[in-house]
């Protein structure tokens, strides 16, 4: 805490009052150390303030310019007060747990009982002000995101206000741009995807942002009475959420998005009838949510390939998949296949095959990793220019074909050094 207060003191030496606010205070009160601290400063002119402070850069995006910089090794972002006082600024924030400020002397400004709500694990609208929802209906999804991520419950009055707004203003939800939905959804599924989507379902929000997922609730699974394909999606997300808690390496967006979208376009429980439009649906949704193209490719790779892991996969096939989709995508797809089988109740039938496939994949990845270890991080023993020099070739398709073939030879264990790569090429 002391280093953060020193930042405030440094700012106030310029004659500008400053407070720790928002996510920074909420994180500190829950025992989490923020990587970047958020400040509110009493300055009408951020550019002049920056010159006086002597550090930072102003980003003028949106209505409130943000000053980003570093003081005493602590990165910060600072916003001008909304209103005349810090209390006015806090009243503009949507949640009570975010409407707390800390002064440079360590004292707290908490006009809406945010500390009480943090202790009691409650999500509440600031000042119980339902007008905050009317001003921006997407705050509903933000509340659900915080509730899921922080494992908190919605306050009973906030819950009632949210349901009343949704019943009265569905057209307001329909007008929210897809990219804004996507921003909150991506944050919401990051650590507790099952709880977040389940809460969205409880508030009947899913038709507004993922109608094809909502449609699955009307398709019986044909196996269990009263169960539909939407229930299967929730089962998969529950297993994935458990996986996220124990296996930090799996905390990536593609892994969770595959669970959310893998049944899009299916009509039966086995999923073998997935329509030809599935890839387009997945791509269209993720693109409209502004998901990075590399993540979209990874999600598509997982959905396309996970079922293949229920049968033996050769090292050769793993090599081809790794080179086409990336090591991370194939590894995540294999993890996803295990989660899916566990959720669907047939894990015992395929466990031995999955274990064998995991072993084969690890051997392939180990060989590819050896390249980086021997070449100071390079992905190949030889570059295209070195291949041309070694074989006296001109630039062209043949060079690419040789590099691809050399990659396969490395993955299959036929080449394990630079000298071996040169010998292998000469033999071609």
């Amino acid at each position: 805490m002391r280093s953060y207060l020193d930042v405030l003191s440094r700012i106030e030496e310029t004659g500008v009052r400053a407070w720790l606010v928002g996510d920074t205070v909420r994180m500190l009160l829950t025992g989490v150390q923020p990587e970047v601290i958020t400040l509110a400063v009493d300055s009408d002119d951020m550019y002049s303030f920056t010159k006086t402070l002597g550090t930072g850069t102003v980003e003028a995006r949106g209505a409130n310019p943000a000053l980003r910089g570093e003081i005493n090794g602590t990165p910060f972002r600072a916003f001008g007060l909304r209103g005349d006082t810090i209390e006015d600024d806090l009243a503009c924030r949507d949640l009570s747990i975010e409407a707390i400020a800390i002064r440079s002397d360590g004292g707290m400004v908490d006009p809406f009982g945010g500390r009480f709500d943090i202790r009691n694990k409650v999500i509440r609208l600031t000042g119980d002000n339902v007008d905050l929802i009317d001003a921006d209906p997407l705050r509903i999804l933000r509340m659900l995101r915080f509730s899921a991520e922080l494992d908190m419950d919605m306050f009973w009055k906030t819950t009632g206000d949210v349901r009343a707004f949704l019943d009265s203003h569905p057209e307001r939800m329909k007008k929210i741009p897809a990219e804004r939905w996507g921003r909150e959804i991506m944050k919401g599924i990051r650590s507790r995807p099952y709880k977040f989507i389940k809460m969205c379902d409880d508030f009947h929000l899913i038709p507004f942002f993922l109608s094809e997922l909502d449609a699955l609730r009307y398709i019986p699974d044909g196996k269990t009475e009263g169960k539909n394909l939407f229930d299967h999606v929730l089962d998969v997300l529950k297993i994935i959420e458990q996986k996220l808690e124990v296996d930090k390496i799996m905390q990536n967006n593609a892994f969770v998005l595959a669970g959310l979208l893998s049944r899009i376009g299916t009509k039966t429980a086995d999923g073998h009838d997935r329509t030809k439009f599935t890839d387009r649906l997945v791509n269209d949704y993720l693109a409209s949510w502004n998901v990075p193209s590399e993540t979209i490719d990874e999600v598509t790779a997982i959905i396309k390939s996970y079922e293949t892991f229920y049968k033996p996969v050769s090292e050769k096939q793993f090599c081809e998949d790794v080179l086409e989709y990336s090591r991370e995508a194939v590894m995540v797809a294999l993890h996803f296949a295990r989660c899916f089988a566990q959720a669907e109740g047939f894990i015992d039938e395929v466990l031995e095959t999955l274990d064998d496939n995991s072993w084969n994949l690890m051997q392939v990845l180990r060989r590819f990793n050896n390249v980086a270890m021997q070449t100071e991080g390079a992905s190949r023993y030889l570059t295209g220019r070195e291949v041309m020099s070694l074989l006296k070739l001109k630039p062209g398709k043949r060079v690419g074909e040789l590099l691809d073939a050399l990659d396969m030879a490395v993955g299959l264990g036929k080449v394990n050094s630079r000298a071996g790569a040169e010998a292998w090429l000469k033999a071609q």
Side-chain angles (χ1 to χ4, degrees), residues 97 117-118 121-123 146-147 150-154 195:
I97 63 173
D117 289 339
I118 288 175
K121 300 179 73 68
V122 169
I123 298 294
F146 273 109
S147 181
L150 302 176
D151 196 23
M152 292 182 170
D153 295 321
M154 291 266 281
K195 184 171 183 179

Side-chain angles (χ1 to χ4, degrees), residues 104-122:
S104 59
D105 62 2
M108 291 201 182
V109 184
D110 183 15
F112 303 104
R115 286 176 293 176
F116 178 84
D117 289 339
I118 288 175
R119 286 194 299 270
N120 289 279
K121 300 179 73 68
V122 169

Side-chain angles (χ1 to χ4, degrees), residues 60-269:
R61 292 180 295 181
N64 298 313
L67 168 63
R68 297 181 183 273
E70 184 176 295
I71 294 178
N72 298 337
T74 301
F76 72 88
R77 55 182 181 177
F79 301 88
L81 282 182
R82 291 174 289 182
D84 297 328
T85 67
I86 185 61
E87 287 80 6
D88 291 339
D89 182 272
L90 297 177
C92 296
R93 300 176 184 273
D94 47 11
L95 304 179
S96 65
I97 63 173
E98 299 270 292
I100 311 169
I102 299 179
R103 300 189 303 263
S104 59
D105 62 2
M108 291 201 182
V109 184
D110 183 15
F112 303 104
R115 286 176 293 176
F116 178 84
D117 289 339
I118 288 175
R119 286 194 299 270
N120 289 279
K121 300 179 73 68
V122 169
I123 298 294
R124 180 201 302 259
L125 284 169
T126 299
D128 292 329
N129 183 4
V130 71
D131 289 341
L132 289 168
I133 298 178
D134 188 60
D136 184 3
L138 198 64
R139 282 186 165 125
I140 295 173
L141 202 65
R142 178 172 158 82
M143 284 188 283
L144 299 183
R145 171 168 71 84
F146 273 109
S147 181
E149 182 179 331
L150 302 176
D151 196 23
M152 292 182 170
D153 295 321
M154 291 266 281
F155 183 56
W156 65 268
K157 186 180 185 305
T158 299
T159 297
D161 289 339
V162 167
R163 294 194 187 280
F165 181 88
L166 291 172
D167 288 342
S168 302
H169 303 287
E171 75 286 349
R172 297 284 307 279
M173 308 305 295
K174 294 176 183 178
K175 292 180 180 179
I176 297 174
E179 62 268 20
R180 293 198 67 212
W181 281 109
R183 193 179 306 125
E184 290 299 326
I185 291 166
M186 294 301 292
K187 293 176 181 177
I189 65 175
R190 185 168 47 199
S191 59
R192 294 184 179 273
Y194 168 75
K195 184 171 183 179
F196 175 69
I197 295 299
K198 184 67 169 62
M199 293 185 73
C200 289
D201 183 40
D202 291 343
F203 282 87
H204 308 296
L205 287 173
I206 292 176
F208 295 118
F209 65 82
L210 193 51
S211 58
E212 279 78 7
L213 175 61
D214 187 66
L216 295 177
R217 71 175 73 252
Y218 304 107
I219 304 175
D221 76 349
K223 298 179 180 180
T224 307
E225 185 176 355
K227 194 168 186 178
N228 55 57
L229 296 191
F230 180 83
D231 297 326
H232 284 242
V233 173
L234 291 181
D235 289 343
V236 173
L237 290 177
K238 183 182 289 188
I239 297 299
I240 287 175
E241 185 171 300
Q242 294 169 357
K243 183 73 171 174
L244 293 176
E245 292 179 357
V246 300
D247 193 346
K248 301 304 180 184
I249 194 173
M250 297 311 302
Q251 285 188 341
N252 71 56
N253 291 329
F255 184 53
V256 180
L257 285 170
L260 183 65
L261 302 173
S262 62
R263 283 202 173 273
I264 294 290
T266 62
K267 300 295 182 183
T268 59

